[in-house]
Amino acid sequence: MQKIKYLALVLSIVLFTQCELDHDDFQASSADVDFSHFVALGDSYTAGYTDGALGRSGQENGFSYILAKQLEYVGSEGYVQPLVQSSSSIGSAGNSYYQLKAANSSLSPVPGIGDQAIFAERVYDASNPVQNLGVPGAKSFHLLATAVSAEPLMYYSQANPFFGRFASSTETSIIADAVAQNPTFISLWIGNNDVLTYALAGGEADAVTPAEQYAQYLSVIASTLFANGTKGVIATIPDIETIPYINYILSNGFLPLVIEDDQVPGGIRQLVEGEKVLLPASTLLQAGYGQSAEMPLPAEYVLDLEEIQNIKTATIAYNQTIATIASQYNLALVDLNAVMNKAHTQGYIIDGNVYNSTFVSGGVFSLDGIHATGRGSAIIANEFIKAINHTYNCSIPYATVNEYSAVVYP
């Protein structure tokens, strides 16, 4: 009986473990796909943003860089990144990387002061153009944008300093800089911020990009990149409820908190089950907010049921558009919505380590509760590789997840 139990345990580990191949025993094959000049387009995930900021260490542990390294086994001739020249980092709020620090007998993520000089760096080289065209903060239409306002005239490279660092010119667009390189293989993962910036503001700022507009933008992007037969890979948008920033505080149940709501008489009400309290609210909750009518939790820290439904409806529509585009242009399709859902509900066992979406300790998400750790990025990169291998009959080796960075404990 003990032997049977032991055999069952071994089999369960084999079945639920993501295997990583030994490159010495693996025969890589491109199956006639030209990977020589790989270009990646997207947002902060593609850029290598992690722990709340962009810095060199994150760029060297980002999923697109990990994917590019694996593509070298099948003919890629390198991957130029707009590497941060500073030893520090910079986030959209002016902070540097979050770090775990002791506070009130526990460890909490604390940001440092970011290096603003990073935004003044000019890392474009016409003889060696940037292939990682991931831009933190970019929405779908930003890939196409040159000017973002007419009066006063402002170009996207001026409006978004992350892009301005490596844009080929002030007047260019992300997609123009991609096409100018004549890429032979392209990865495209765009649309997260079309719902996420609204979600991160508790539905009190910005807006969800209408599904019809997203479909129009993605159609133009895809036809520009893939109409001439260029091969590539495209990924779906994860459900926001799979990320710790959205689900961490109420992950273990429901709290009858008092929240602001200007849509009801008196402007306050109790939290309804199913609504989400955002990660930054943790500090306010510790200070007593949400415990009484005198100190309600501000609305920007809460996603109500209507806001959640708006986001979910848009995400489903976006992913239908992405699947249609993948089919239309014979692109490899990565279902990252399913991947993140599995990380949230089941987790992964990879080379003896457990990975899930639990904040800080889960291994997938970094200390900002939104972006991936290096190991989370390697898991994502391997999903891209799996899709490419399946669609194009290639044999690209997987990255070794445990070789990449995780949350650093003091």
Side-chain angles (χ1 to χ4, degrees):
M1 181 65 70
Q2 286 295 108
K3 288 184 178 179
I4 293 174
K5 289 182 178 179
Y6 177 77
L7 179 59
L9 175 62
V10 171
L11 287 173
S12 67
I13 292 173
V14 170
L15 287 172
F16 291 100
T17 299
Q18 177 179 326
C19 299
E20 293 169 342
L21 301 175
D22 186 339
H23 295 162
D24 294 334
D25 300 327
F26 186 82
Q27 297 298 314
S29 169
S30 66
D32 297 324
V33 177
D34 186 355
F35 292 106
S36 60
H37 194 84
F38 167 58
V39 168
L41 293 91
D43 51 35
S44 49
Y45 268 96
T46 300
Y49 199 100
T50 186
D51 288 328
L54 184 73
R56 183 181 287 256
S57 63
Q59 291 174 307
E60 293 176 341
N61 283 270
F63 96 86
S64 70
Y65 177 70
I66 297 170
L67 173 58
K69 284 181 63 178
Q70 299 310 115
L71 293 181
E72 291 179 2
Y73 289 95
V74 289
S76 174
E77 297 174 356
Y79 187 61
V80 179
Q81 297 209 91
L83 291 173
V84 168
Q85 305 302 297
S86 167
S87 60
S88 185
S89 56
I90 187 70
S92 56
N95 57 283
S96 64
Y97 285 140
Y98 283 85
Q99 295 179 317
L100 283 178
K101 295 187 177 181
N104 300 321
S105 302
S106 63
L107 292 174
S108 300
V110 178
I113 299 174
D115 184 357
Q116 292 288 337
I118 292 171
F119 287 144
E121 294 174 352
R122 180 66 178 157
V123 296
Y124 176 75
D125 180 354
S127 65
N128 204 21
V130 168
Q131 293 162 259
N132 182 347
L133 296 173
V135 178
K139 297 184 180 183
S140 55
F141 54 89
H142 289 142
L143 268 61
L144 302 165
T146 51
V148 292
S149 67
E151 294 182 7
L153 179 62
M154 177 175 286
Y155 294 100
Y156 186 58
S157 64
Q158 297 170 316
N160 189 328
F162 290 106
F163 181 44
R165 293 179 62 248
F166 63 86
S168 63
S169 70
T170 302
E171 300 84 2
T172 193
S173 66
I174 297 170
I175 199 164
D177 277 5
V179 172
Q181 299 181 47
N182 295 313
T184 63
F185 193 84
I186 298 169
S187 75
L188 176 63
W189 185 18
I190 193 68
N192 289 295
N193 289 323
D194 289 77
V195 291
L196 194 56
T197 52
Y198 172 81
L200 300 187
E204 299 302 306
D206 206 86
V208 173
T209 302
E212 298 80 8
Q213 291 183 16
Y214 178 83
Q216 293 171 2
Y217 299 138
L218 199 66
S219 177
V220 174
I221 292 167
S223 64
T224 304
L225 296 174
F226 304 113
N228 65 353
T230 303
K231 292 181 171 58
V233 57
I234 190 170
T236 62
I237 308 305
D239 184 335
I240 61 159
E241 291 194 44
T242 64
I243 66 174
Y245 195 99
I246 305 295
N247 66 45
Y248 171 68
I249 289 181
L250 297 180
S251 60
N252 295 320
F254 168 68
L255 295 173
L257 298 172
V258 180
I259 64 172
E260 291 181 352
D261 187 344
D262 60 10
Q263 302 298 311
V264 300
I268 62 171
R269 63 174 175 83
Q270 276 201 327
L271 188 76
V272 175
E273 188 167 4
E275 295 179 326
K276 299 296 179 181
V277 178
L278 307 183
L279 182 61
S282 56
T283 302
L284 294 180
L285 293 174
Q286 291 173 6
Y289 282 86
Q291 307 302 313
S292 67
E294 291 72 32
M295 295 177 65
L297 189 65
E300 61 264 30
Y301 293 95
V302 179
L303 282 173
D304 65 33
L305 295 179
E306 182 179 356
E307 291 162 346
I308 292 170
Q309 189 57 53
N310 289 341
I311 294 167
K312 285 183 174 292
T313 300
T315 301
I316 291 169
Y318 293 178
N319 288 339
Q320 290 172 341
T321 294
I322 291 166
T324 299
I325 293 292
S327 176
Q328 181 179 354
Y329 293 98
N330 190 33
L331 305 176
L333 176 62
V334 188
D335 191 356
L336 287 181
N337 186 34
V339 171
M340 292 302 184
N341 267 309
K342 182 176 178 181
H344 179 55
T345 59
Q346 302 176 44
Y348 293 86
I349 301 175
I350 303 174
D351 278 1
N353 288 350
V354 176
Y355 294 98
N356 56 48
S357 66
T358 302
F359 187 46
V360 180
S361 63
V364 174
F365 286 95
S366 72
L367 296 177
D368 60 26
I370 301 169
H371 300 92
T373 61
R375 294 186 180 187
S377 292
I379 292 171
I380 292 170
N382 282 345
E383 293 295 333
F384 273 73
I385 291 169
K386 183 190 299 183
I388 295 167
N389 284 344
H390 174 76
T391 301
Y392 297 120
N393 198 31
C394 301
S395 296
I396 304 164
Y398 292 116
T400 303
V401 172
N402 295 340
E403 288 183 352
Y404 289 91
S405 64
V407 169
V408 176
Y409 287 81

